[in-house]
Amino acid sequence: MASSSFVHQEEKYFCNNYLVLKPKEAGFSDLFSILCSSDNFKNRNVFDVSEEVAEAFFSLRRRWLIFISLVFQKFFILFKGPMSSFGLFIEQLLNYPTANGGFFRLLFNFLTGRVVKPDRESAKYMSFLGHIDPRVDLNKKIKPNEEGYISGLAIMAAKLSYENEAFTRSIVHDRWQMQFLGFFNFWDDYDEQYATQAIMFQDKKVDPNLIVVAFRGTSPFSADDWATDLNLSWYEINQVGRIHAGFMKALGLQRTKGWPKEIPNANINGSKQYAYYSIKQALKNALKENKKAKFFVTGHSLGGALAILFPAILFLHEEKELLDKMEGVYTFGQPRVGDEKFGEFMKKKLKEYDVKYYRYVYNNDIVPRLPYDDKTLMYKHFGPCLYFNSCYKGQILEEEPNRNYFSLLWVLPKILSAVFEVIRSLFLPLIRGWEYRESMLMKVSRLIGLLLPGLVDHAPTDYVNLTRLGTLPHLKND
């Protein structure tokens, strides 16, 4: 790679083409200076970009997009601690009634000085998103092997992945009567922290048996997760395309090595485990014990990005043994993962191995419209979009409406839709049944969502509802 004034040579990358934003290193003066002149943009230490693609980023429009991305990431870096502390406080507060046997028992314990503090590792402790939508049972109206069963199981697994191990194990084993196979906490080699979680279980009610892998998505009070969603950084993999850097790091991308087919000690207890490598080995072990079983991967939000990226690396490594056993990928509120070339690569490989890909998008959900869809910054969805409006009426589209969210033409329709959702939350349980009664926390969230329509649409509640109430034309797997 040739040197230039705008390519930083101190960092080594596993590929030749890349765009790496550096929000931690960039000062606020650096951020504003890139808007003033492309010359300032070249000389500032705000990102690394390979020479082959660097010139494309010097236009004012693209400098503006990078500026916005960096500003939001700086915000989340600055408020990482307060966001985490506030989230923990709210979550603990929500769990006090359960830990004390109910609200009135909590009041009695408070008056007598015997309040029990919630245990974050207990089977009764529920996450913030769990309190947003406390439903844990599968749809009882759909039997195993009936149409809609797997999509319903997929969203419930994706929702369950936000919970702790004891809670997850209890629901899978006691409520769903399935075999719990593992709760994983994976290492990010770049940020040097445990940043990716996933669960794995086996459904023996269906034939063939199904092994489910669900990746945890964006936690509401995780600054790291939101910064990852808003990051425009990418790396290019030969013959595959450009892929979001943050998602690859979360899945187990190796420093300087990229994606070697195997890494030593990837599945040894006590060692730092990486999502892709450990799950791949866990699936091989489970499928060896049950040779007729199949598996699918699922995830909500960032978890959906990891769910579709997982088979992408399997395709890269030509893991035919696993791919022949892969039933599909189910994602809910998934952000964009790569460029148009990556999409073409995936469509070809999904068809070659007959792997189904279902990407669900509810109404004005903001996350599927991130990162920004732009020809040079390159983020593109691929495959059919299973889009549902606020009445849960589905369509099969090439792209969700208002693909970049911030169109002025959509401001009024989004506000009106958010108002309708507030009203609907009052009447839906009366019309469709008590299981659709929303928690007080969800109702309050919908009111807050009037200020930023689309943010509350990202919650799991409506994704669970659309798998149970939604109508959708028959989907052909072309």
Side-chain angles (χ1 to χ4, degrees), residues 100-157:
N100 287 271
F103 178 79
F104 291 106
R105 186 68 181 178
L106 171 62
L107 182 60
F108 176 78
N109 288 350
F110 176 77
L111 295 174
T112 57
R114 292 183 291 183
V115 174
V116 178
K117 183 179 179 181
D119 178 4
R120 296 188 69 195
E121 302 303 321
S122 79
K124 295 182 179 181
Y125 190 95
M126 190 178 287
S127 70
F128 178 84
L129 284 179
H131 283 278
I132 283 279
D133 183 0
R135 291 175 291 184
V136 293
D137 290 323
L138 301 176
N139 187 358
K140 297 177 181 178
K141 296 179 181 179
I142 299 180
K143 298 179 181 179
N145 290 318
E146 288 186 347
E147 185 177 357
Y149 175 79
I150 296 180
S151 61
L153 176 60
I155 181 55
M156 292 304 291

Side-chain angles (χ1 to χ4, degrees), residues 204-378:
K204 294 186 177 181
K205 297 178 183 178
V206 293
D207 185 24
N209 294 171
L210 268 179
I211 297 170
V212 182
V213 177
F215 290 94
R216 182 181 296 182
T218 304
S219 297
F221 300 101
S222 171
D224 289 333
D225 288 352
W226 284 107
T228 296
D229 287 341
L230 293 163
N231 198 336
L232 296 175
S233 301
W234 51 261
Y235 298 113
E236 183 171 355
I237 298 178
N238 289 336
Q239 301 180 342
V240 175
R242 299 172 182 176
I243 305 175
H244 191 288
F247 300 153
M248 286 205 288
K249 292 172 183 178
L251 194 63
L253 183 71
Q254 301 294 292
R255 279 188 175 276
T256 72
K257 297 179 182 178
W259 290 111
K261 189 166 185 177
E262 304 290 346
I263 59 175
N265 303 326
N267 200 38
I268 296 177
N269 292 333
S271 66
K272 293 175 182 176
Q273 298 187 44
Y274 301 92
Y276 167 76
Y277 297 98
S278 294
I279 290 177
K280 180 175 73 170
Q281 188 58 51
L283 282 170
K284 286 183 176 180
N285 294 340
L287 291 168
K288 191 176 294 183
E289 294 181 7
N290 189 341
K291 297 186 182 298
K292 292 184 179 180
K294 292 205 167 197
F295 76 95
F296 71 82
V297 292
T298 183
H300 166 259
S301 191
L302 182 148
L306 300 180
I308 189 58
L309 187 52
F310 179 76
I313 308 305
L314 291 179
F315 292 144
L316 176 67
H317 292 157
E318 298 180 342
E319 292 282 357
K320 189 175 187 302
E321 176 187 356
L322 281 180
L323 290 167
D324 286 341
K325 295 286 188 176
M326 191 171 194
E327 189 277 338
V329 181
Y330 295 77
T331 72
F332 304 88
Q334 170 210 315
R336 297 181 176 103
V337 177
D339 68 352
E340 189 172 357
K341 181 179 178 181
F342 172 71
E344 292 301 318
F345 169 83
M346 290 298 293
K347 287 189 287 186
K348 176 183 176 182
K349 291 297 183 179
L350 290 167
K351 183 176 182 180
E352 179 181 338
Y353 287 98
D354 193 27
V355 176
K356 305 178 186 70
Y357 174 36
Y358 299 109
R359 183 173 68 86
Y360 290 84
V361 175
Y362 171 70
N363 203 28
N364 294 312
D365 185 352
I366 190 173
V367 174
R369 292 151 170 107
L370 299 174
Y372 197 85
D373 183 324
D374 174 85
K375 186 174 182 180
T376 302
L377 294 179
M378 51 110 276

Side-chain angles (χ1 to χ4, degrees), residues 122-193:
S122 79
K124 295 182 179 181
Y125 190 95
M126 190 178 287
S127 70
F128 178 84
L129 284 179
H131 283 278
I132 283 279
D133 183 0
R135 291 175 291 184
V136 293
D137 290 323
L138 301 176
N139 187 358
K140 297 177 181 178
K141 296 179 181 179
I142 299 180
K143 298 179 181 179
N145 290 318
E146 288 186 347
E147 185 177 357
Y149 175 79
I150 296 180
S151 61
L153 176 60
I155 181 55
M156 292 304 291
K159 190 168 87 74
L160 187 62
S161 68
Y162 287 97
E163 307 302 331
N164 66 50
E165 181 174 3
F167 186 96
T168 303
R169 185 186 296 273
S170 173
I171 297 302
V172 169
H173 185 268
D174 299 334
R175 302 292 284 266
W176 298 356
Q177 297 181 337
M178 299 178 187
Q179 183 181 359
F180 185 76
L181 299 179
F183 180 95
F184 304 95
N185 192 19
F186 298 114
W187 183 254
D188 182 332
D189 213 24
Y190 287 75
D191 291 332
E192 297 185 338
Q193 62 180 344

Side-chain angles (χ1 to χ4, degrees), residues 364 402 405-416:
N364 294 312
N402 188 25
Y405 184 79
F406 294 105
S407 169
L408 293 177
L409 296 175
W410 280 84
V411 172
L412 183 58
K414 284 188 294 188
I415 294 174
L416 293 175

